[in-house]
Amino acid sequence: MSLTDIQSTAVMAIGPCRIASLSLVSLLHQTTPIEGNEASERALKLSTTRIETAWTMLTEELSERLKANAYALPVELEAERQACIKCLEPLHDKISGRGGSVMDRIATLPDLAELCLHQLEPTISRFLDDLVAALSTAQREREAKRSGEMLEAVKNAEAVGRNIRLIAFNASIEAARIGDQGKGFAVIATEIRGLADRTQTLLTNIAGFLRA
């Protein structure tokens, strides 16, 4: 999995928690009971699931995926991740808690609208924007480095190919010098030289493709 893949997965897991939190604010202030209202119950379940998913990604999965890809968040971006966790924690605690209904527990949060609108939403949005920028840049740098390493490998292979062709050419000269006894060896040397030529052409084409 590339850093770009991790970036996409993280955005899809974390981003929806912003809408989910606002949905909870709306559900808290609606006048009709949630229980028995299919649309409200579905909205509540979807919102709580999205918040749980975002929490898991922020606290566990993102770090694990990045570590597996040999990447660590820069200090500033890690601080933003921790800020997201801090903002999301009150909601997550109420959703995962016990005693009463989910909405009853959420109703005990002071200034829920303030938390969701002016803290959670901007904090999450800033983190995702900066995460996308950082991982996109890191992936481009990795790809550029990989291309450079591949070009170097092709250059080394081209040098080997030239040496093989030179050896085959010298072998052909020696075979011709010793006459009939060297005919079989001359055929082999010619085949080796032809193979070296074809390999050289292939490597040249690969190098051209990498430079494009």
Side-chain angles (χ1 to χ4, degrees):
M1 178 177 283
S2 69
L3 293 177
T4 303
D5 294 330
I6 295 174
Q7 161 203 307
S8 299
T9 302
V11 169
M12 288 189 292
I14 299 170
C17 79
R18 295 169 295 184
I19 296 175
S21 67
L22 298 179
S23 176
L24 291 177
V25 173
S26 177
L27 288 170
L28 186 63
H29 289 88
Q30 74 177 28
T31 56
T32 57
I34 293 175
E35 293 78 8
N37 185 319
E38 184 179 348
S40 295
E41 289 179 346
R42 186 166 56 248
L44 175 59
K45 182 177 181 180
L46 180 60
S47 296
T48 55
T49 298
R50 284 175 168 173
I51 289 172
E52 289 280 8
T53 300
W55 177 262
T56 302
M57 178 58 71
L58 282 166
T59 58
E60 299 174 18
E61 290 187 9
L62 180 57
S63 296
E64 291 172 358
R65 291 170 185 260
L66 292 174
K67 183 178 180 180
N69 216 274
Y71 182 86
L73 294 177
V75 175
E76 297 82 0
L77 197 52
E78 173 60 21
E80 289 184 29
R81 183 180 74 90
Q82 294 298 331
C84 290
I85 292 172
K86 184 177 180 180
C87 287
L88 195 60
E89 188 173 15
L91 272 177
H92 177 262
D93 286 349
K94 297 301 180 182
I95 288 170
S96 59
R98 295 182 179 181
S101 69
V102 173
M103 291 309 301
D104 287 341
R105 295 195 298 271
I106 289 175
T108 64
L109 279 173
D111 301 321
L112 179 62
E114 169 68 21
L115 170 66
C116 297
L117 280 169
H118 302 296
Q119 297 180 40
L120 180 62
E121 199 287 328
T123 302
I124 293 288
S125 295
R126 181 171 59 254
F127 172 68
L128 292 180
D129 287 344
D130 292 345
L131 179 69
V132 168
L135 295 187
S136 296
T137 299
Q139 184 63 34
R140 286 195 298 270
E141 290 174 350
R142 286 188 173 189
E143 290 172 354
K145 181 181 179 182
R146 188 178 298 116
S147 294
E149 291 172 347
M150 291 174 66
L151 278 172
E152 185 64 27
V154 168
K155 288 179 182 178
N156 291 336
E158 286 177 330
V160 172
R162 287 192 295 271
N163 288 336
I164 291 174
R165 189 168 50 185
L166 181 60
I167 292 170
F169 180 71
N170 290 336
S172 297
I173 294 175
E174 288 299 317
R177 187 177 63 81
I178 61 178
D180 291 341
Q181 294 179 345
K183 286 183 178 180
F185 189 61
V187 171
I188 295 174
T190 300
E191 289 295 325
I192 292 174
R193 188 168 57 190
L195 179 61
D197 288 339
R198 290 194 296 273
T199 301
Q200 189 78 23
T201 300
L202 177 61
L203 290 170
T204 299
N205 291 338
I206 293 174
F209 174 76
L210 291 173
R211 294 188 182 101

